[in-house]
Amino acid sequence: MPAPVPELWNYIPEEILIQIFYYLSLRDRYAVFQVCRQWATAVSSSSVWHFTEISCDSEDEEGMLQSLLQFLSQIKHLKIVFDQSKEVNRKNVTRVLDLLAKQNHKLQQLCIACHGENPYFYSGQDILQSIRNICNTENQIDLQHIDFRQMPFTLNDELVELVATTNPNLHGLFINNRTLVCNVAPDTIRKVLRACPKLSALGVYYASLSDDVFQELLKPERAAFTHLDIFCERLDKYIPVISEELWAAVSQKHPQLCVDLEFDHTVPACKIPWILKLNIPVSTLQLNTYNYMVNQIRFVTQSYSSTLKKLTLQTTSSEDLNSSLVDLARQCRNLLEIHCYCVVSQEVVEAFLTHCPSLKQYTLKVTKERHPWKPVIVQ
């Protein structure tokens, strides 16, 4: 007669339990910790905590966060997700960050993501101060990857320069967080590149780029640069554009470079052709402008057919749009995703399914539907 299921768990080796618990959420790890001594020992292993996501979304998580504190020193890769609309959540995040600054010398990656409504007159200064505390040189934390793309608090030159100078081994830094104002000047990005010689991935506003920044990337001693994530917004109409020649030179110097470009709806349609250049190795392109995009799509088809992997369009329906999308499908055969948030013809859908063999998912609707539109996963 087989043993009862509860007894079978007693025979699972601790190494296997550790592998299982590694994939659990923080809430589930907290529950596991209270089951029995064997599970508590397994879930306390440093291997379980190397990659951890902390969610601060409700007031009833105080006890769970309290139990987490004993494991903070073991975390290497941390993602914090929280609802910024509630003060208790913001206090819990600052508490975790401040304790990290004091206890954790192993932290290598930090990602902070917010959701919910941003309270009036709240600018995230408490969170930003806690980030400064982490970057304090006395704490000996050596971050290698920082992602603030979903943290909607205005970053300034002082903070970004502090992050770079105190973490010289940075490989990835993403500060293109879609706030209303970009307060990071090109000279600061140039200083970041100088302070972090291993930096290979960078996310910035287009307004934070300049000829001098690109000259920094062209220096002979510069390590391989592989990813540039750029957010374009309304203020970009007042700044000089990066020349075709500089893009060509950087692409030649860094042949593995992939560029992600996102145009916010505030970018004037007349400015987009100025920013899009022939020699940009565009991998992901988001045109969220709600304008007539046919000419831009034709340019993308001619210029980025060998590099484009993902295209997102917020535009208006027309026969010209359908025609341009069919041409794009025939030319951009390496495309993995296409998302067009307006009605298209059935011919467009069939063109992408026929000519893009690597297509993973698409959002192409032939009739109007209620939003949000969900993508179709290609089997």
Side-chain angles (χ1 to χ4, degrees), residues 12-30:
I12 297 179
E14 183 175 304
E15 294 80 7
I16 302 299
L17 288 174
I18 289 172
Q19 289 296 318
I20 295 172
F21 297 159
Y22 169 85
Y23 293 100
L24 297 182
S25 67
L26 181 62
R27 183 179 293 277
D28 289 337
R29 290 181 194 175
Y30 177 59

Side-chain angles (χ1 to χ4, degrees), residues 69-73 98-106:
L69 302 182
Q70 62 182 303
F71 304 113
L72 279 180
S73 62
D98 289 343
L99 286 169
L100 276 172
K102 296 176 181 177
Q103 297 181 16
N104 191 322
H105 305 316
K106 299 179 181 178

